[in-house]
Amino acid sequence: MPTKKQLGAAVGIAAGAAVVAARLRDRGDFERLVALPGVAEPIEIRRDAQGIPHIRAASTPDLMYGFGYATAQDRLWQLDILHRVTRGRLSEIVGAAGLEADQMMCSIGLWRSAKASAARLPDGETKTALDCFAAGVNAYIAGNGTYPGVEFLVGRYHPIPWEPAASIAMLKMMGWNLDNYLDKLLQRDRVSNAIGEELAAHYYGDVLRRSDPVVPSDSYRDLLERMGRVTQTLADVAGIEPTQPGSNNWAVAGIRTASGKPLLANDPHLGFTLPSVWYECHLTGPGINAAGATIPGIPGIAIGHNDHVAWGITASMLVQTELYIEQFDDPDSRLRYRTEDGYAEVTRWMDVIPVKGRTDAVAHETLITRHGPVITGTGEAKDEVRKLALRWVGHEEADEITGLLDLMRANTVAEFRSACAGISIPSLNMVFADTEGHIAYQYVGKVPIRPDGCGERPVPGWDGAHEWQGFVPFAELPHRIDPPEGFIATANTRIPADDYPYPLPGVYVSPFRQRRIVQLLENRTELTMEDMRRIQADTYVLHAEPLRPVLLDLLDRSGVAWSETEQAAIEVLRAWDGFAEVDSPGAAIWEVTYVHWLRRVLRARFSPEMTEDLMSKFMGEAHWALPDRLFLADDIGWFAHGEARETVLRSAFTDAVGWLREQIGPYPAEWEWGAVHRVTFQHPIAMGAPALGKLVNVGPIPIGGECNTVNCAYYNLAAPYDVISGASFRLLVDLADPSGDTGALASNTAGQSGNPRSPHYRDQAARWSQVRYHPFGTDAASVAARAPHITRLVPDGAR
């Protein structure tokens, strides 16, 4: 696969950091009056101290026009690169290095599905909103020259005109990114093949339902490797980092708060990149006065509040995909596939991919079965007739944009819950509260009704025994209103009780974040916004609580003559208070020891290559369930060949001490966690160009927390300890006064702007790392006071 340096060169980084620095334009100084075609009445865009737009218009069409224009002002390159990803048009700007990613995206069909959804929309508010948002984006593009931004300058290309379908594609990409579990579906059989079904069941913490895979696991190796290359290309070129899905949200009823009204908190965890994943905005128009964050390009607020309701999301972790093994009758024609009723014809779809540096575009054909697009063959043999087809909820008929518009207008939890019914993807845990004093939870998204075993590994597509039987009715999805305990908290664990009548296959995470949030809420009253902040900032490692005493006891009675450094490390670990703060040496010793333990656990049964692969992929609770169990006792004979569990644990500790000594120095009391646990927000245009990275990257920033703390700072377990994922946005709302500047607080990661010369490119990074916030109320007078910088969009000819 192409290296990061090659990918950087492909997008024109060779232009040089000096040229880029000279040509960057400071978009913080916006024009004050702009006359534009398509504007019906004046649109006001106020920007506050963080550069966040507060957009006011007299009609919804003008509001969405202003929203599109403001988003393009701040994030045009991000809009364009994400647009290109969904359409399979990266190769047009990076050359052959992007072709494999384009072909995969064309096969998956995000753009194909988005265009179909847009075509189905009837005339009405939603269609008009999409049209006007697109018109606003394109108005900005038209008024800003051939290269409207540094990224376009160095790459020597122009942004693609924004279509209404592009906004739908952004939402589908968000859904795909949160439900991209193909590698997990494919890994299960590989794990079973490597260690046997019984041990694999222990590894996954459940019972694998079928002991005879339809296709041997080695047959999936090509697809796994291809998905890995595509994922890396998207990260390097487009900043779409591999997501370690997570998030926290909770709502507290008035009986537990100082204000007597609900409090709500949310921090979604996504991969870190630049520009920031989330775009903050405040929209005011007919029936709408809502502030929050959205994915750039989506004309609605995904996380936020209005004057009556506040809401926050976490990923439900439901697998909304299915991989069907299709059996074709002729490996040469590949046009007929087997069903329970005989053979059926595929549908053929052709995409044309322009490639920079080539005279002719590349034609890419996708075969589509009744289940969905064929994404690969499952083997290398020339006569292979079995291939994998993808069924995904995101390909089903839906209208999420209308649902988002309705969310922003809801006045009560009942109205808000009704609006949730329109959202099919992504599958979410939605927590919300209103000024009337109600708190509520709703499982959001279409849930397939499918036989047991589906959603866990590829299933036969020809026998009719693994077909979806429709979707769970919205009224039967898990939900709660005003629970007697006075709070609701979710953190990506399984939500419904075991007797829930529908299967919910998912890659659920370990329970530590959710349990810690409950610990900090239960038996508490008079809770305040500052208490909510402390919970979001909490770094207590609940995961270590039952394990650290076991390790210390083993080290104390080992009889080993510890070195001076090792003995000092033992005493530091013994004195550790359990919090993974930036300056904590105890946290550093614990985390590094556990990672070495995890690697040794996997190496006991897997090859070195597969060990690193499993550690680098997000595997949910499987990362911790088995290693934690073995930490206490090896009751399943995992450590074969006479290797004792106690010996492995001691070795993990000594490995950790040696690593920390080498990385930081000889004195354990100085091994601060933040010395190795840091985050760097990286702009894709700096990949392969270190000099440019100094101009456009933000960091490294030492931060606390770890993979299982409420203040989550997830690091790749195969390449520790640089942080790759965590709280990508934070929101706190007091429903006693959601409109006021003290009643709604938020924090982005690096900043609001996508322009490195803007003062708002990196101005939130320090406060974000300290879990501090900016005001985010919606009161008109307060906004006017803190957002004095105004751009007015007026009808063409009105200047």
Side-chain angles (χ1 to χ4, degrees), residues 45 64 182 216 290 422 462 510 733 752 784:
I45 304 175
M64 291 301 159
L182 294 190
W462 59 82
S510 295
V733 183
Q752 175 73 359

Side-chain angles (χ1 to χ4, degrees), residues 2-3 5-13 77 81 84-85 88-102 151 155-157 233-234 236-238 353-358 684-685:
T3 65
K5 184 174 182 179
Q6 290 169 330
L7 287 166
V11 295
I13 298 305
W77 176 80
I81 202 74
R84 289 178 181 277
V85 168
R89 289 183 62 175
L90 282 178
S91 302
E92 188 175 24
I93 61 172
V94 306
L99 187 56
E100 189 171 39
D102 283 343
E151 300 92 346
R156 300 290 174 179
Y157 68 95
T233 297
L234 295 181
D236 292 342
V237 175
I353 304 173
V355 182
K356 183 179 180 179
R358 292 190 183 182
I685 69 168

Side-chain angles (χ1 to χ4, degrees), residues 128-333:
T128 300
L130 290 169
D131 290 342
C132 292
F133 184 92
V137 173
N138 291 329
Y140 180 80
I141 293 173
N144 283 273
T146 303
Y147 303 125
V150 59
E151 300 92 346
F152 303 105
L153 169 66
V154 299
R156 300 290 174 179
Y157 68 95
H158 194 67
I160 303 172
W162 193 265
E163 298 181 33
S167 292
I168 299 174
M170 294 304 103
L171 198 150
K172 289 185 180 292
M173 186 169 65
M174 179 184 179
W176 177 257
N177 203 27
L178 289 179
D179 183 37
N180 191 5
Y181 297 139
L182 294 190
D183 53 350
K184 286 75 178 178
L185 296 175
L186 297 171
Q187 286 283 17
R188 277 188 98 102
D189 283 339
R190 291 192 69 206
V191 168
S192 300
N193 190 58
I195 62 176
E197 289 291 328
E198 183 177 353
L199 288 179
H202 291 301
Y203 177 79
Y204 283 104
D206 62 7
V207 178
L208 299 178
R209 294 180 174 86
R210 189 175 67 251
S211 61
D212 184 17
V214 174
V215 179
S217 62
D218 285 347
S219 299
Y220 301 128
R221 187 179 300 276
D222 286 348
L223 178 57
L224 280 167
E225 292 176 353
R226 184 183 180 199
M227 290 297 299
R229 292 192 299 270
V230 167
T231 298
Q232 192 62 58
T233 297
L234 295 181
D236 292 342
V237 175
I240 303 175
E241 292 293 334
T243 295
Q244 317 301 326
S247 301
N248 307 310
N249 64 4
W250 62 89
V252 184
I255 59 173
R256 290 182 174 272
T257 71
S259 69
K261 292 290 186 177
L263 298 171
L264 181 135
N266 184 209
D267 52 293
H269 306 160
L270 294 172
F272 292 139
T273 185
L274 279 176
S276 298
V277 173
W278 295 98
Y279 183 72
E280 296 181 87
C281 55
H282 171 202
L283 307 177
T284 304
I288 296 174
N289 189 27
T294 189
I295 299 297
I298 298 177
I301 291 173
I303 301 165
H305 71 97
N306 59 29
D307 296 334
H308 306 282
V309 180
W311 62 96
I313 63 175
T314 69
S316 77
M317 313 308 284
L318 174 74
V319 174
Q320 289 185 296
T321 51
E322 201 78 63
L323 286 176
Y324 285 96
I325 305 162
E326 306 285 24
Q327 187 168 17
F328 285 77
D329 69 333
D330 184 344
D332 295 321
S333 70

Side-chain angles (χ1 to χ4, degrees), residues 630-687:
L630 294 173
F631 213 99
L632 303 176
D634 184 7
D635 58 345
I636 57 175
W638 180 268
F639 294 107
H641 312 301
E643 190 174 33
R645 159 190 155 273
E646 292 84 354
T647 302
V648 179
L649 261 176
R650 284 197 302 269
S651 297
F653 171 74
T654 55
D655 289 347
V657 170
W659 188 90
L660 285 164
R661 181 187 180 105
E662 180 180 340
Q663 296 295 318
I664 303 177
Y667 304 112
E670 297 177 0
W671 291 347
E672 294 187 353
W673 178 220
V676 295
H677 188 248
R678 304 173 298 178
V679 61
T680 298
F681 301 104
Q682 300 187 68
H683 196 300
I685 69 168
M687 291 295 182

